[in-house]
Amino acid sequence: MAPASMKWDQNSLLEKNFIRDDDERPKVPYNKFSNEIPVISLEGIDDLERRAEICEKIVKACEEWGMFQVVDHGVDGKLLSEMNRLSREFFQMPEEEKLEFDMTGGKKGGFLVSSHLQGETVQNWREFVTYFSYPIRARDYSRWPNKPKEWRAVTEEYSEMLMGLGCKLLEVLSEAMGLEKDALTKACVDMDQKVVVNYYPKCPQPDLTLGLKRHTDPGTITLLLQDQVGGLQATRDGGKTWITIEPIEGAIVVNLGDHGHYLSNGRFKNADHRAVVNSTTSRLSVATFQNPAPEAIVYPLKIREGEKSIMEKPITFMDMYKKKMNSDLELARLKKLAKDKHENLEKLKPIKNIFV
Ligand SMILES: O=C(O)CCC(=O)C(=O)O
């Protein structure tokens, strides 16, 4: 049977389990775009002189936001449109067909509604489908959707092109740190890639909820393809203010994750972001996460003069990931506890008044 939340109710009021606390609710509209995140052309990146210019822009963006957009990136525009088109088709399939790829119960890849994090107290307004594409030897095609018909061929090509682009960008960042070109990819040991296709249905009360709550990505670098609707937001002051990233046809949004942040000893930011929804139209995004192998050691590759390491000691990526997930869940649990306590005290107020 379909999970109850699959029946996205787009007309009536939002169910309680999607309602965020006031401090998390979006205040900046999904379509009020900012141009603060730089758009960088990669045209001529292999040409020495042009490379220096491009590197400078990328480094500045990583130091300020951990986020930028790339155009002229070498990934065929037709492939991007196909990826968008087929992804939309996937989500438009009837529930039963999507649920053929159901990922509940700890399966590695497939289709899921809302948040898959156990213990998550408020649900995200989204569905997604995910598959693990690298290393190739670990691919489990039984967990990859094979519908729509062309999906598998297109997603394979897409994964390969994005792996190439991700590695190219990591070369630039390695050079900027004064290291060998392949330093960051080597630190990943054997780079993993996971693709998550997000679908955010139309929402009756978008001001009360989020498509995807505020987070930083755990991995090295993420490449995001978004449609032209808008909804990706970023903050660099701990969530006090937010901007909405402008969707640009054919562009890919790049953001650094925690692993990239630690390897650079905090010089490059791990982009703090979220997705908001709207009541007019559904939205689609495809996030390609380039992650280190689970056993890769996380520790700064370069500590500049006068700096201290931002990490106490080296840990594996798997341990880093577990720690992050546990602390996110713990934070959500504590927040809920505090909220419940407050609500119970509020309920008690009229009773107290009887005795005064
Ligand atoms: O949909 C978006 O714009 C953001 C997606 C994202 O942050 C994610 O999948 O981790």
Side-chain angles (χ1 to χ4, degrees):
M1 211 181 61
S5 53
M6 264 205 83
K7 313 223 175 311
W8 298 106
D9 199 339
Q10 291 162 355
N11 301 311
S12 58
L13 298 181
L14 214 56
E15 278 171 37
K16 193 168 174 262
N17 54 326
F18 289 106
I19 300 181
R20 300 262 161 201
D21 287 345
D22 190 53
D23 60 338
E24 286 185 84
R25 291 180 196 166
K27 308 285 187 293
V28 178
Y30 76 101
N31 56 358
K32 183 175 180 278
F33 301 127
S34 153
N35 57 9
E36 280 189 70
I37 299 287
V39 181
I40 303 174
S41 164
L42 299 188
E43 172 101 61
I45 192 163
D46 296 320
D47 165 75
L48 260 187
E49 211 172 296
R50 177 83 186 111
R51 185 175 182 85
E53 253 174 67
I54 297 172
C55 292
E56 203 178 304
K57 288 185 187 161
I58 292 181
V59 166
K60 187 164 181 279
C62 289
E63 288 177 343
E64 289 177 358
W65 285 97
M67 187 182 270
F68 52 100
Q69 303 207 52
V70 286
V71 291
D72 307 316
H73 40 59
V75 184
D76 189 2
K78 265 201 230 130
L79 180 64
L80 301 183
S81 319
E82 276 300 274
M83 191 65 197
N84 256 322
R85 180 181 71 81
L86 293 169
S87 302
R88 270 212 174 261
E89 273 184 26
F90 177 87
F91 290 103
Q92 265 136 30
M93 292 193 311
E95 274 170 35
E96 319 77 77
E97 285 191 52
K98 288 189 270 187
L99 287 169
E100 281 172 26
F101 310 104
D102 179 27
M103 171 171 152
T104 48
K107 293 186 205 84
K108 217 168 175 255
F111 169 75
L112 211 61
V113 178
S114 280
S115 173
H116 63 305
L117 279 179
Q118 273 180 7
E120 194 72 88
T121 48
V122 184
Q123 304 283 291
N124 292 314
W125 189 263
R126 73 161 178 164
E127 296 178 5
F128 66 89
V129 64
T130 183
Y131 58 90
F132 293 81
S133 32
Y134 282 89
I136 292 183
R137 62 173 188 286
R139 274 186 198 177
D140 176 359
Y141 284 112
S142 73
R143 300 302 322 150
W144 287 38
N146 54 5
K147 290 180 196 173
K149 198 158 72 57
E150 312 96 312
W151 169 275
R152 194 165 286 171
V154 169
T155 46
E156 270 186 334
E157 189 186 350
Y158 184 81
S159 297
E160 188 185 335
M161 296 306 290
L162 268 76
M163 174 58 87
L165 176 59
C167 291
K168 196 170 255 201
L169 293 167
L170 291 182
E171 283 182 8
V172 169
L173 295 179
S174 301
E175 284 171 2
M177 285 162 67
L179 304 169
E180 292 294 317
K181 245 177 162 177
D182 58 358
L184 282 165
T185 37
K186 266 192 178 158
C188 293
V189 182
D190 199 1
M191 199 176 284
D192 275 14
Q193 186 192 65
K194 173 173 114 164
V195 179
V196 178
V197 186
N198 299 300
Y199 176 73
Y200 307 99
K202 271 199 295 190
C203 177
Q205 292 182 293
D207 298 346
L208 300 183
T209 192
L210 289 172
L212 191 50
K213 72 171 186 181
R214 178 182 165 196
H215 65 285
T216 59
D217 297 335
T220 321
I221 194 166
T222 306
L223 305 171
L224 187 95
L225 176 67
Q226 59 167 336
D227 64 14
Q228 297 303 294
V229 174
L232 170 63
Q233 296 195 332
T235 177
R236 56 172 173 172
D237 55 14
K240 281 194 209 83
T241 57
W242 290 90
I243 56 162
T244 309
I245 287 85
E246 177 162 23
I248 297 173
E249 188 79 52
I252 293 176
V253 183
V254 181
N255 64 260
L256 285 195
D258 302 338
H259 184 238
H261 174 72
Y262 288 131
L263 293 192
S264 70
N265 202 34
R267 175 177 170 195
F268 303 140
K269 292 219 165 109
N270 41 352
D272 198 348
H273 60 290
R274 69 181 182 189
V276 300
V277 291
N278 71 87
S279 57
T280 326
T281 173
S282 59
R283 172 171 178 262
L284 189 104
S285 74
V286 184
T288 304
F289 299 97
Q290 301 285 142
N291 293 337
E295 71 277 12
I297 300 298
V298 187
Y299 198 71
L301 292 179
K302 174 96 177 214
I303 300 172
R304 293 192 289 182
E305 234 181 271
E307 281 179 358
K308 276 198 200 139
S309 169
I310 60 166
M311 293 182 71
E312 252 172 49
K313 57 179 183 2
I315 53 169
T316 63
F317 180 64
M318 193 199 282
D319 287 342
M320 187 203 106
Y321 184 84
K322 279 189 195 152
K323 241 170 121 174
K324 178 184 176 77
M325 292 303 145
N326 288 340
S327 77
D328 280 2
L329 288 179
E330 183 59 9
L331 241 146
R333 196 184 66 82
L334 291 176
K335 199 167 178 198
K336 180 162 187 311
L337 220 67
K339 195 175 159 197
D340 288 350
K341 197 170 162 192
H342 177 77
E343 278 175 7
N344 286 337
L345 283 174
E346 289 294 304
K347 274 186 215 148
L348 283 177
K349 265 187 189 163
I351 300 173
K352 264 208 244 149
N353 289 344
I354 296 173
F355 302 105
V356 287

